Amino acid sequence: MSSLAWARSGGRAGSVLGWGRRGTGALSGVHPSARRFIIDLSYSAHFMDFKGSSIPSSMKKLVVTKLSPNFRDAVRTQTVAVPTPGDSDLLVRNRFVGINASDINYSAGRYDPSLKPPFDAGFEGIGEVVGLGLSASSRYTIGDTVAYFGSGAFAEYTVVPAKESVPVPAVKPEFLTLLVSGATAYIALKRLGDLTKGETVLITAAAGGTGQFAVQFAKKAGCHVIGTCSSNEKAGFLKSLGCDRAINYTTEDLAKILRKEYPHGIDVVYESVGGSVLELAVNSLAKKGRLIVIGFISGYQTASGVPSFRGGTLPVKLLQKSASIRGFFLPHFLSDYREALDSMMQMYAKGELVCEVDCGDLAQGGKFMGLESVFQAVDYMYAGKNLGKVVVEVTPPTVSNSKL
Ligand SMILES: NC(=O)c1ccc[n+]([C@@H]2O[C@H](COP(=O)([O-])OP(=O)(O)OC[C@H]3O[C@@H](n4cnc5c(N)ncnc54)[C@H](OP(=O)(O)O)[C@@H]3O)[C@@H](O)[C@H]2O)c1
């Protein structure tokens, strides 16, 4: 997930979407949590639930201080004052934040070359409103639960424009999986996949954050789904999602399997790895096949960020099969975003969508808790250990003693 346009617009999706109207938000399909209404109007410019949530005077946040795809080199933890929300903003206490493969593209400055360090890291969070500006109070109140897709999420508290936040029924990490990972799979397959029942779909990095959703949406479209992953445990997870052929590429030869078991080729590829995997996928396309470039994670840790790709004969290959390669970048499809979230929320509420979250319970250092564990979580993803969406629990649940 990277977007120059997105980063230049302040890194937030909601301004385009106009979210945040109470009760009409994208994720309003399930019962909202109980609200504590503000009766103390002693603050004229903004309301802060200092009494209820014990907002401290300082907080930690992760700041990119040097451009590098090595997240540990690029990012430092800083202790700063808890920000005060502006008139139309919310102050969100982040309970959970999502880790994305592109967090290291962002720390390398690949999103917006004009953005110079220091700048804040993290793309998405979910938490509770603990403070808000006067205008924002017409739509939100203290205690509301919101999610957001925007910059600066790797912090204990983040200021989010009210119109850019997404009301959620509860602070559950499952909702966080939909903001970027789920939306990418939903919109990319819908807009660029042209899936037809009975077609064969190959999904790479299938057991990860976005891959898990691509598997489920391709199955819902009636396709035969092949998913690649790096362990038997992940292959088992893919099977549980309905994946017809889970390939653990560490024990099975992907090229041989595709050649032998799919001699007519692959109709649609949802491709996230790049390099040699992309080459293989191109060579495996069926007549009129469509390959969607979702990412190229195998190159993100390198200086260029781009894995090598031998594409000299690409035009010939595409022409001979009337095949196509299509790029997808979520921030370019924001007009589809609201419908995608609504639809996925309905599916989740009905028990028709698995939103697998990996909080690192089985990671070497244990569960990802506290802001500092974002570093471990990024390493964990790049070691290929995650099963589902990597999520960090930034702060513990609030025990409310609000007097507001
Ligand atoms: N275009 C967009 O708008 C958009 C939006 C969101 C995400 N994406 C892309 O989707 C892909 C997945 O992102 P995500 O955030 O959902 O991550 P993820 O799939 O949750 O985690 C990354 C997975 O990729 C595999 N992997 C990790 N390092 C690798 C490496 N060096 N070489 C090859 N495979 C590696 C691992 O799976 P295995 O070990 O099982 O292979 C790992 O679990 C990335 O390419 C990302 O850029 C694109």
Side-chain angles (χ1 to χ4, degrees):
M1 187 208 58
S2 59
S3 166
L4 300 185
W6 174 65
R8 283 176 185 143
S9 70
R12 297 193 183 276
S15 55
V16 185
L17 302 164
W19 280 316
R21 200 173 160 72
R22 184 177 287 170
T24 62
L27 304 189
S28 60
V30 199
H31 304 295
S33 60
R35 294 203 176 87
R36 305 194 299 277
F37 289 97
I38 297 168
I39 52 169
D40 180 351
L41 300 181
S42 57
Y43 299 93
S44 57
H46 55 266
F47 306 117
M48 301 280 274
D49 190 10
F50 286 112
K51 296 172 191 165
S53 57
S54 311
I55 300 172
S57 56
S58 64
M59 65 163 201
K60 285 184 191 161
K61 69 173 180 173
L62 300 191
V63 178
V64 177
T65 55
K66 171 188 150 190
L67 298 182
S68 170
N70 180 327
F71 195 78
R72 286 182 184 273
D73 282 353
V75 177
R76 292 284 169 269
T77 308
Q78 293 185 354
T79 300
V80 296
V82 173
T84 302
D87 180 57
S88 55
D89 298 330
L90 308 177
L91 178 66
V92 178
R93 180 176 181 266
N94 291 314
R95 276 274 289 130
F96 299 98
V97 296
I99 305 296
N100 287 283
S102 266
D103 284 319
I104 72 169
N105 286 327
Y106 197 65
S107 70
R110 292 177 188 143
Y111 271 47
D112 179 1
S114 68
L115 193 59
K116 303 288 176 220
F119 55 85
D120 298 344
F123 292 139
E124 54 184 344
I126 185 168
E128 194 178 46
V129 175
V130 294
L132 69 170
L134 197 55
S135 301
S137 68
S138 65
R139 304 179 199 167
Y140 287 97
T141 191
I142 301 295
D144 280 355
T145 51
V146 293
Y148 60 92
F149 161 31
S151 55
F154 292 161
E156 289 170 335
Y157 295 83
T158 301
V159 168
V160 183
K163 65 182 181 185
E164 299 174 14
S165 60
V166 183
V168 285
V171 185
K172 289 175 69 172
E174 284 77 6
F175 296 131
L176 198 53
T177 69
L178 303 176
L179 294 178
V180 174
S181 305
T184 296
Y186 184 99
I187 301 169
L189 288 176
K190 184 175 174 195
R191 300 279 284 182
L192 305 182
D194 299 333
L195 299 183
T196 303
K197 197 173 172 188
E199 286 192 313
T200 299
V201 179
L202 169 67
I203 293 151
T204 58
T210 191
Q212 62 170 327
F213 292 103
V215 168
Q216 295 178 76
F217 297 141
K219 278 312 294 176
K220 283 181 197 300
C223 297
H224 176 96
V225 179
I226 310 162
T228 69
C229 62
S230 62
S231 74
N232 289 339
E233 191 200 0
K234 291 187 187 190
F237 168 61
L238 291 177
K239 284 277 177 198
S240 76
L241 296 180
C243 185
D244 300 283
R245 180 65 165 102
I247 303 173
N248 172 359
Y249 60 81
T250 66
T251 57
E252 296 192 272
D253 186 326
L254 179 60
K256 270 192 196 152
I257 290 171
L258 294 182
R259 212 168 36 238
K260 200 169 149 210
E261 298 180 22
Y262 300 94
H264 300 298
I266 309 295
D267 298 302
V268 176
V269 185
Y270 186 89
E271 214 296 281
S272 295
V273 174
S276 59
V277 174
L278 175 61
E279 283 172 26
L280 175 60
V282 168
N283 293 337
S284 306
L285 281 173
K287 203 184 283 176
K288 296 188 182 169
R290 290 86 68 196
L291 186 150
I292 311 172
V293 176
I294 294 297
F296 28 91
I297 192 169
S298 62
Y300 295 171
Q301 289 172 298
T302 65
S304 72
V306 188
S308 68
F309 173 73
R310 289 169 298 175
T313 56
L314 188 60
V316 183
K317 288 175 181 172
L318 296 181
L319 183 144
Q320 282 175 342
K321 293 176 178 169
S322 296
S324 58
I325 298 185
R326 305 165 175 197
F328 176 85
F329 193 33
L330 179 60
H332 296 161
F333 289 84
L334 293 180
S335 55
D336 293 282
Y337 196 78
R338 180 191 289 260
E339 187 273 323
L341 284 187
D342 267 338
S343 175
M344 290 187 291
M345 279 300 293
Q346 295 301 331
M347 286 184 228
Y348 179 69
K350 286 192 233 158
E352 294 168 0
L353 188 67
V354 174
C355 301
E356 190 66 26
V357 169
D358 189 340
C359 285
D361 297 78
L362 301 176
Q364 212 171 16
K367 194 170 176 182
F368 304 133
M369 293 183 77
L371 196 62
E372 297 285 351
S373 61
V374 166
F375 294 97
Q376 282 99 289
V378 171
D379 290 344
Y380 181 77
M381 172 185 277
Y382 275 89
K385 302 273 190 229
N386 63 300
L387 193 156
K389 171 88 186 178
V390 183
V391 169
V392 171
E393 185 171 350
V394 173
T395 55
T398 318
V399 181
S400 176
N401 60 347
S402 177
K403 297 189 181 65
L404 293 182

